[in-house]
Amino acid sequence: IVNRVLVKRMKVMDAIKDVSPAMMLDFFKTTLTTNFLKFPFFEAINAFCAAMPINSSVRGFITGIVFTTATLPVTNYRYRKSMQLEVNWSNIYEAYFPTLIRDIVYGIARNYCTIWALSMNKAWTPQDPMVLFFVVILGCLISAPFNEWRGFLLQSKGQELTFSEFFKPANFVRSTGLGAFKQGLALGVGYWCAPPAKAFVMGLIASIKGA
């Protein structure tokens, strides 16, 4: 649905109607696997860079380059599967440059937004779900122009909208708002679920060892 709103510039309800339950179920298997690869990888790179004596801009720059270069084939595979398009070696690095710039800007913006958020309340930590929810949304909004550029380049050949049609303000607001909220919610809920999930797994391992 998000990809249809971004690339095809469909309205949300039209995008929902364009996807059948069978298509959602089939794509769920793809997106579950790819998200388990992408999200933890970004967080791991960012955490590794945070332990180094470098400023937030350099950390975001490094994170963006490493993340995009390593995971763009996964991102494009997921995108093309969601749009029921052919996947081959010629398109796994499609739209590399705007995706690279988007992820660099997102990484830098998220780091500075995190610093700003933590300065507002000393009790917060970078891993707090509420903090992540808001800083991820802000990072997505700040890097949104480059995500729109990526969407423009990903249009199917022969079905391209013109520049003026694609970049209508209403289309920009709709795709950016939906994408940012989805990303923020996913990270926030993920970090909220992590502690109880870890406790459950550790308890399960302990009970197995005890048996």
Side-chain angles (χ1 to χ4, degrees):
I1 293 169
V2 173
N3 285 332
R4 281 165 168 75
V5 172
L6 171 65
V7 179
K8 290 188 173 183
R9 312 314 260 177
M10 300 174 73
K11 294 181 179 179
V12 176
M13 292 308 300
D14 291 336
I16 293 173
K17 293 175 183 176
D18 194 52
V19 181
S20 68
M23 290 168 61
M24 290 187 201
L25 182 61
D26 183 58
F27 180 62
F28 178 74
K29 294 179 287 185
T30 301
T31 194
L32 187 66
T33 306
T34 55
N35 282 351
F36 272 131
L37 288 171
K38 287 186 59 182
F39 284 170
F41 186 60
F42 183 93
E43 300 306 312
I45 301 169
N46 207 34
F48 175 78
C49 290
M52 300 175 66
I54 53 179
N55 65 39
S56 297
S57 296
V58 176
R59 176 153 49 102
F61 184 81
I62 294 172
T63 301
I65 289 178
V66 174
F67 177 76
T68 304
T69 304
T71 66
L72 186 58
V74 176
T75 302
N76 282 344
Y77 173 82
R78 184 183 65 179
Y79 161 73
R80 298 189 74 82
K81 293 292 286 186
S82 75
M83 302 295 283
Q84 299 178 304
L85 299 171
E86 181 185 0
V87 182
N88 54 55
W89 289 107
S90 66
N91 53 43
I92 60 171
Y93 270 99
E94 190 174 16
Y96 174 76
F97 187 68
T99 310
L100 175 66
I101 301 301
R102 180 199 67 183
D103 290 344
I104 289 174
V105 172
Y106 169 80
I108 295 172
R110 179 173 153 180
N111 288 337
Y112 280 106
C113 287
T114 300
I115 294 171
W116 169 74
L118 298 182
S119 69
M120 296 177 64
N121 189 331
K122 300 300 181 182
W124 288 344
T125 69
Q127 292 78 33
D128 282 343
M130 184 174 66
V131 172
L132 273 164
F133 176 73
F134 286 109
V135 301
V136 168
I137 287 178
L138 288 173
C140 289
L141 294 177
I142 293 169
S143 61
F146 304 102
N147 193 51
E148 295 291 295
W149 180 16
R150 166 179 161 79
F152 182 72
L153 294 182
L154 288 177
Q155 294 183 92
S156 298
K157 300 297 182 264
Q159 301 178 24
E160 300 99 328
L161 297 175
T162 64
F163 184 90
S164 59
E165 291 174 328
F166 191 91
F167 290 102
K168 287 181 179 178
N171 292 336
F172 175 81
V173 171
R174 181 167 53 243
S175 65
T176 298
L178 181 62
F181 179 76
K182 181 265 298 181
Q183 191 85 345
L185 184 64
L187 265 294
V189 171
Y191 270 81
W192 178 75
C193 291
K198 179 182 177 181
F200 173 78
V201 172
M202 295 303 292
L204 189 62
I205 293 173
S207 64
I208 293 172
K209 288 182 176 179

